[in-house]
Amino acid sequence: MSTSDLEELLAEPTWSVESLLPPKTPAADAPSISTNQLHHLLRLSALPLPKTAEEEKQMLDTLSAQLHFVGEIQQVDTAGVKPLRAIRDETETAELEQTITLDTLKEAIAKEKVIGKHYKRIQRDATPVDARDVENWDVLGSAQRRVGRYFVVESERPQE
Amino acid sequence: MLVSTCRTALAVLSRRPYICQSCLQRARQLPLTSAVRPKPTSARALQSDTKPPPPNDDTPFRKLLKDAAKKKRKEDRASSGSPKVSHCDRDARLSKWELTVGIEIHAELNTARKLFSQAATSVNEEPNSHVALFDVAFPGSQPHFQGETLIPALRAALALNCDIQYKSSFDRKHYFYQDQPAGYQITQYYEPFARDGSITLYPHDFPAGASPANGPVTIGIKQVQMEQDTAKTVHQPPSTHLLDFNRVSHPLIEIITLPQIHHPTTAAVCVRKIQSLLKAVNSVTAGMEMGGLRADVNVSVRERSGQSTEQSQSYHGVTGLGQRTEIKNLASVKAVEDAIIAERDRQIELLENGGVVEGETRGWTLGSKTTRRLRGKEGEIDYRYMPDPDIAPVIVGRDLVDHLRDTLPILSDDRVSTLVDDKDYKLTSKDASTLLSLDDGERLDYYYDVVKHLQTAFADQPAILARTGKAAGNWVLMELGSLLKTEDWSETRVPSDQLASIIAHVLRKQITGRTAKLLLSTKFKGDARAVEQIIADEDMLLRPLSRQEYLDLAQSLLEEKADMVKVIVEKQQHKKVKWFVGQMMARSAEGTVEPGPAEAVLRELLHLPPADEQ
């Protein structure tokens, strides 16, 4: 193939993400999202509510476009395909490695003892473990407010 | 310093709040009406997703009880004239309406480290001293599943006869509350690690007389899942909260039963049994009284006649149920029973007056008469469950499950049936259950030791051998128990071989029962001499009086108290013979006169019929 042929081939995009977005003029039967629904979703995510009607319209339009996008994606046939939760090593070897076996936990099990002469009971050794490697950092350093060794939080709702 | 008991040693080492033995004993021994627990200083909420707890929860417990009693007195006085729901009415209602209850129990696991970080678990340590980066959801921190938390979790699930799932996964349950730094709780919603278990309640688990007539009740367990605990909040009125994140990510298990419970007592017994089961396999060490275990109950009623099925609900295969309400955060076995009764009555009242039960979340405070609405259907939280992408699925090896199952301690039901049925012990089921629950099992261990000593002593005397188990039970539970009272259990106060010696002397009729109790008390107070030595020193052996000696003693007594004799003979008040028996015993050396022969001789002299003919 010559360079000019290549250039011709690559000049026009054959696909654009625009194809997954709603058209500029929304279709008549496009489902609308109510203000209540929007506010509910914002509260669920602890996001601030829109301050002006313009801001709200903008949010609704964005949300609408996003829903249309998701709708288009959902057109793909996924029959028999397990949903992906995370990119992980899912080979058999990996599964064997990740299995928690008696060997994996032998140290923890060794820390238990059996007590009782006739009535035998299990008892975990309750001496505190040394976890300083994860606990030794300034926990309260980023606290906005603190009192002694506590974080302080104000709840906005007045108490009953 | 005396050797500390297991319990105090553990308490010291784990720096737990020390609960006195009397409170614990009361909590365990009273049938279902478990005693009040000292309220923890913080307004604790295991995954509370409701509004901040109302101020009531922080008032001193004593005050709550006093207020409740005052309120009740006032109401009783006020309504003494008005008609109350009589027993007949109540029974009629209950024969028309059937109660259905499902229970969700959250229990803190006994582990060294947390669920998703290597920080140490703790109880009542300095605030915010055992916190890893992930525990406070520090940006950029990642969860690291701690495999050793599986050990107590698997044991609990195996004790509940569950199927352990080879693969299980964690999900996020989103809601915002100050005691949850991440904005979501990590739980196992879609794929719990254990499913389809069961728990059987036997007659010995119920308080006397309350057991259902048809024998043991089996309640299905839908699933057992692992999840995180939340932070501790100290409420400072009016609207300030102090947060201690030591408890965040402490592993919990949630046990969900099927709605197959139809009586409030059954529900309470179920909660109590699950608690003792979890303790028996060392999965949970802090009980309800220490805030380590909480129950939520789901209550609904339906007509027994099976009508009104248009709106019936179902749950995991159990169909035809009425609309349920959820009562959250019940902190004692008594609260469970009372709350269910109050809610059932409220729902029946509502339905009989033509109303409709709404699916809402309700709360209960000790001493209330009805449950209190916390959140209605409109306030229902949308948790938006989603699989947590940061956490790999938990894959449990078969060998681990088999090992834990094989080394699982014998469960209480088997132990109780052995103690009741086996000829070596022959205890009543109530005594057996009590022995099992006292002092973390130390008392039972001691009992077994005493029985072993006795069996060696009486190996060649089968008649007495048959009575050793029961006698030992009586002495270990009642006599020693009454001496201990508020003190801690210690097996060295009265070593098992010494108690066995006392019991052996009694069984051989070498000392009277009264002498034996005196001996026990002497040993308990710290007398270092061996029992045989004390008996020899204090001359306590029963020297049976000859018949002549009895006759002489009786005769002199009768002559002395001729007027009493007259009363007995002429007025036919034969029971007053016992007074003479007492006098004979009081006038003789300790342990020489036995009441049986004394009474027989007296009756003979007075020409009265023998005692058992009256």
Side-chain angles (χ1 to χ4, degrees), chain B residues 331-526:
Chain B
S332 71
V333 171
K334 179 171 163 60
V336 168
E337 194 173 9
D338 292 345
I340 292 174
I341 292 173
E343 182 61 15
R344 173 198 69 191
D345 291 343
R346 184 193 78 92
Q347 288 192 7
I348 292 177
E349 184 89 40
L350 192 59
L351 290 169
E352 293 211 324
N353 293 338
V356 160
V357 177
E358 278 185 32
E360 46 190 14
T361 310
R362 299 182 75 87
W364 170 263
T365 35
L366 207 60
S368 325
K369 285 202 148 189
T370 56
T371 54
R372 164 187 91 245
R373 179 177 148 128
L374 296 177
R375 191 168 70 229
K377 231 178 152 54
E378 342 57 75
E380 200 179 297
I381 298 176
D382 183 353
Y383 293 115
R384 296 169 294 154
Y385 290 99
M386 71 174 232
D388 193 319
D390 296 336
I391 307 173
V394 174
I395 307 171
V396 181
R398 205 74 254 163
D399 63 335
L400 177 64
V401 176
D402 290 338
H403 170 85
L404 290 175
R405 186 184 287 120
D406 293 337
T407 56
L408 206 64
I410 300 175
L411 297 177
S412 60
D413 294 322
D414 297 329
R415 246 183 224 287
V416 169
S417 26
T418 312
L419 288 168
V420 171
D421 299 328
D422 200 305
K423 64 172 171 50
D424 289 339
Y425 309 111
K426 286 184 116 43
L427 295 175
T428 61
S429 63
K430 182 165 188 332
D431 282 350
S433 313
T434 314
L435 252 187
L436 205 64
S437 63
L438 285 177
D439 305 313
D440 285 340
E442 306 257 317
R443 193 80 75 101
L444 181 61
D445 205 30
Y446 180 82
Y447 168 78
Y448 280 134
D449 217 24
V450 170
V451 171
K452 198 166 96 138
H453 286 297
L454 285 172
Q455 288 182 335
T456 332
F458 291 110
D460 51 350
Q461 290 169 285
I464 302 183
L465 198 63
R467 290 159 43 207
T468 49
K470 210 154 168 53
N474 207 34
W475 281 87
V476 171
L477 273 175
M478 315 300 172
E479 306 299 336
L480 201 50
S482 68
L483 283 175
L484 280 169
K485 271 191 280 242
T486 52
E487 291 178 43
D488 276 349
W489 169 255
S490 161
E491 58 181 10
T492 50
R493 285 299 281 269
V494 182
S496 55
D497 59 331
Q498 297 296 297
L499 179 58
S501 172
I502 298 175
I503 301 173
H505 279 100
V506 172
L507 289 172
R508 284 197 210 102
K509 289 200 188 300
Q510 286 170 328
I511 54 175
T512 59
R514 206 163 120 192
T515 317
K517 287 185 196 171
L518 188 62
L519 265 173
L520 183 66
S521 153
T522 316
K523 278 299 289 180
F524 189 77
K525 291 201 182 91

Side-chain angles (χ1 to χ4, degrees), chain B residues 167-187:
Chain B
K167 257 199 210 172
S168 55
S169 61
F170 286 98
D171 307 305
R172 294 183 184 181
K173 176 178 178 181
H174 301 82
Y175 64 92
F176 289 102
Y177 199 63
Q178 64 235 15
D179 63 7
Q180 196 154 265
Y184 57 85
Q185 180 199 30
I186 302 179
T187 176

